[in-house]
Amino acid sequence: MWEWEDEFSRLCYLDADMLLLKNCDELLGDRLCGGAALHAVPECSCVSGRSGGCPYLSPPAGAPPAHYFNAGLLVLSPCRATAEAMRAALAASDLASFAFAEQDFLNRYFAHDRGAAGAGPPCSWRALPWCFNATKGLYARHRGLCRLGEVRILHFTMAKPWDLRHPCHAGFERLNALWHAAFADPASLPRATLRAVLQEKRERESQGGGV
Ligand SMILES: [Mn+2]
């Protein structure tokens, strides 16, 4: 993607296990995504057990939040010099240290604290709001924050909704239903989303009248 310098000034990469619930044109605009080499959404680290506190806990428990993004959504400015520098960094890396494959590599390459150590163009990432990459982990662990009505892009991390025999779908039925609605008939998604948002709202109200 970084090689497409002549074709695109900015582009947005999405994993194939994501579902757009709302317009995301802002991701290609300067207000949200100007000025940094890479934009991505910080990862909820509650499930992964990654060291450092989860950035979505307020106040963060334990260590300060880990600076680690989920690579399911990336907004980047293609740049051949960056591509070259990334290739060199990859060649010099121990691939076995990247438990989460390209996500770990990208996090290391675009780390805030990499500073002047690496050659090549500026390379630190900047955080986007969670709504652009609402992972199942975030939904499961931070229900007060991760409200369906605010989600722009759902990210079906972990068990995939099309993997019907997977044993770990419990608790994600509402999200999976959205994926299946979109798969069966994309035009049905707005109505299915609205239904899910209203169900969630009703549940919240019945659980204590909270907004
Ligand atoms: Mn994914």
Side-chain angles (χ1 to χ4, degrees):
M1 294 186 287
W2 272 269
E3 288 180 344
W4 294 334
E5 185 180 320
D6 296 331
E7 290 84 356
F8 305 100
S9 56
R10 188 175 298 153
L11 61 84
C12 178
Y13 160 88
L14 297 178
D15 266 8
D17 58 354
M18 295 180 112
L19 182 65
L20 269 78
L21 300 186
K22 286 186 180 173
N23 183 292
C24 291
D25 287 354
E26 275 178 277
L27 288 174
L28 296 176
D30 287 337
R31 192 188 65 78
L32 204 59
C33 289
L38 181 73
H39 287 79
V41 175
E43 177 89 300
C44 158
S45 54
C46 293
V47 181
S48 67
R50 201 166 279 115
S51 62
C54 176
Y56 299 101
L57 288 172
S58 179
H67 294 291
Y68 188 93
F69 57 85
N70 182 284
L73 175 136
L74 304 170
V75 182
L76 60 109
S77 296
C79 166
R80 275 189 290 270
T82 300
E84 281 303 310
M86 288 169 77
R87 236 181 242 116
L90 190 60
S93 300
D94 172 14
L95 298 187
S97 70
F98 299 136
F100 284 85
E102 90 290 0
Q103 179 167 283
D104 278 358
F105 170 73
L106 292 169
N107 267 279
R108 198 175 301 172
Y109 186 84
F110 289 96
H112 294 135
D113 55 6
R114 185 165 164 263
C123 58
S124 43
W125 69 284
R126 193 177 290 167
L128 288 171
W130 66 268
C131 60
F132 291 107
N133 184 353
T135 60
K136 284 171 60 183
L138 189 74
Y139 176 81
R141 304 300 281 260
H142 304 278
R143 291 300 290 276
L145 170 78
C146 186
R147 297 174 182 213
L148 273 179
E150 291 172 39
V151 171
R152 307 277 194 107
I153 304 177
L154 265 180
H155 186 183
F156 292 91
T157 46
M158 309 180 283
K160 307 304 171 192
W162 56 86
D163 185 357
L164 300 178
R165 291 187 197 158
H166 199 289
C168 301
H169 286 308
F172 299 104
E173 294 83 357
R174 185 167 291 157
L175 303 189
N176 287 350
L178 292 177
W179 187 89
H180 283 282
F183 183 68
D185 175 13
S188 74
L189 184 59
R191 184 174 288 244
T193 302
L194 181 60
R195 207 161 37 226
V197 168
L198 292 175
Q199 279 170 0
E200 191 185 72
K201 187 163 177 272
R202 253 180 257 123
E203 276 173 17
R204 236 180 219 122
E205 284 166 358
S206 69
Q207 280 165 12
V211 184

